[in-house]
Amino acid sequence: MSCSTCYAAAMVRGSPNPKHFGLPARLRQTRTHADQTRMALATSAGVSDATVRQVEQDARMPSVGTIAKLAAALGVSAPWLAYGLGDSAPDPGASCDGMGQRLQTVRIERGLTKAALARMVELKAPSLSQIENGGQSGVDTVERIAKALGVSPGWLAYGVGPMLLPPRRRAAAATQEPDHG
């Protein structure tokens, strides 16, 4: 069994797929557009060449911290690279610092215990505690947590962009009143 199958998730028809699904292609296209080799990107980002290769080949789920380093080295927005949110223009204030505090604040506002949120996102409570205490997590885990809390994964991970994602166009169109004018 190859590593890429360890992280593979099925695409779901008729249902929105996770926002991080396009990460390998965004990373590869941005790196090649910047005319950088994997080795050059790895060196400038302070990560291993194997990390860049494995993320591009969808064989490794990177942490939000690794994405922040790659985005800074490429001169693009971390939320855009990780989740395809916003535009690719760099966000100088984007950082994983404060992710734990943002998570804890929203969790408490939503009236959820650590154990309840952990169950919702299929984590163990100590893992959620570790994230709230400043630990790193994968882009996929942060996205699951953000979805459960009803916030943007880009905002939760990096503290930039809107806290709430705009409604999907179909959902917004379905709720509009018909014009009988």
Side-chain angles (χ1 to χ4, degrees), residues 20-33 52 54-58 74 80-82:
H20 71 272
F21 269 22
L23 167 61
R26 282 189 298 275
L27 177 59
R28 187 173 39 260
Q29 290 168 353
T30 305
R31 179 184 58 78
T32 56
H33 186 265
V52 176
Q54 291 169 348
V55 173
E56 283 188 358
Q57 294 174 349
D58 204 14
L74 288 167
W80 176 81
L81 185 59

Side-chain angles (χ1 to χ4, degrees), residues 81-100:
L81 185 59
Y83 304 107
L85 296 172
D87 61 32
S88 64
D91 291 310
S95 168
C96 296
D97 296 342
M99 179 176 71

